[in-house]
Amino acid sequence: MPEDLTFKMQENWSTIVPSDTLAIAVVCERIISGLKEVDFSEDDVFAVHLALEEAFINAVKHGNRLDPAKKIQIEYTRSEDKVQISITDEGEGFNPSDVPDPRVGDNLYKADGRGIFLMQSYMDEVKFNERGNHVDMVRYRCSRKASSGQSSKE
Amino acid sequence: MASIKPNISVQYGEDVTVIAFTDEKILEESDIRGLQNSISSVIEQTEGIKLVMDFGSVKFLSSAVLGLLIRISKRVYEGGGQLALCSIDPKILQIFKITRLTNIFDIYDDIESATKGLTESD
């Protein structure tokens, strides 16, 4: 790949936004338009968009518990072959293993509890820190993770 | 066809009511609360409603919308009605499949087949 194109592929920034579900719209638009510019597939763009929305909503509602005084940090890295997004809230954290499988039993009929499952279904890597107030997600270019044709979690 | 804010249009047929989402993206908490109120008011107007929800314009949604649909389906079935979803974009349909919500929702390719499905189930 030419050196100038490789440079164009790379993007790295961090931002801090308020605990407001509206705040993610601008961040999302920046990330999504950037991915389209450097020809990530529609499936990749959809997956990153979905995971970002779900992780941010979790940080606002369950992490910072809608406290307007608390902020959310978003770190973004895009390279030639992958997208990495980290989201950190100021909440007390949680244990991801305590979140039940939303596909099983009565959980299927519950209105909530699908956000983390979708993040894990659409991203190649989803890791929480020990406290549970920071999530690090990676999606590789042309990943075979949940696309419009298949899912590794099905 | 009646237009209700926010974000839906409603077509009252002889047997079947069709609610169409008119936005490409359904994300905001306020939108979802508004949708819940608007759709609930439509459901309450007709006892035993046969309701088709048309996703033909929708290109992106979050898990909060899945929650909204589950709450709506409970209201419909508690009132003795029936619910069908239709015209779901393949990427969004994949979300339904992954979460196994295809097991609890009747999903059709288009409004015609959804309407037929509801009227033939009598």
Side-chain angles (χ1 to χ4, degrees), chain A residues 20-58:
Chain A
D20 181 340
T21 52
L22 293 172
I24 193 61
V26 175
V27 175
C28 243
E29 180 54 35
R30 182 178 178 185
I31 290 176
I32 297 309
S33 60
L35 290 177
K36 289 178 178 172
E37 268 179 32
V38 294
D39 293 329
F40 272 79
S41 71
E42 282 186 22
D43 284 342
D44 288 335
V45 172
F46 186 92
V48 170
H49 190 178
L50 183 63
L52 177 59
E53 290 279 354
E54 298 295 344
F56 188 81
I57 296 290
N58 279 348

Side-chain angles (χ1 to χ4, degrees), chain A residues 71-113:
Chain A
K71 306 289 185 191
I72 292 167
Q73 182 174 23
I74 302 168
E75 295 161 89
Y76 178 69
T77 303
R78 187 190 70 212
S79 61
E80 187 184 328
D81 66 337
K82 71 176 182 181
V83 180
Q84 184 165 3
I85 299 170
S86 300
I87 294 183
T88 309
D89 62 58
E90 296 184 68
E92 294 174 3
F94 75 112
N95 184 351
S97 61
D98 289 342
V99 179
D101 188 334
R103 302 168 300 173
V104 175
D106 291 343
N107 298 336
L108 189 59
Y109 299 90
K110 289 180 181 170
D112 299 314

Side-chain angles (χ1 to χ4, degrees), chain B residues 48-60:
Chain B
I49 191 170
K50 291 180 178 175
L51 179 62
V52 172
M53 301 192 77
D54 174 15
F55 284 77
S57 300
V58 182
K59 299 297 176 196
F60 190 86

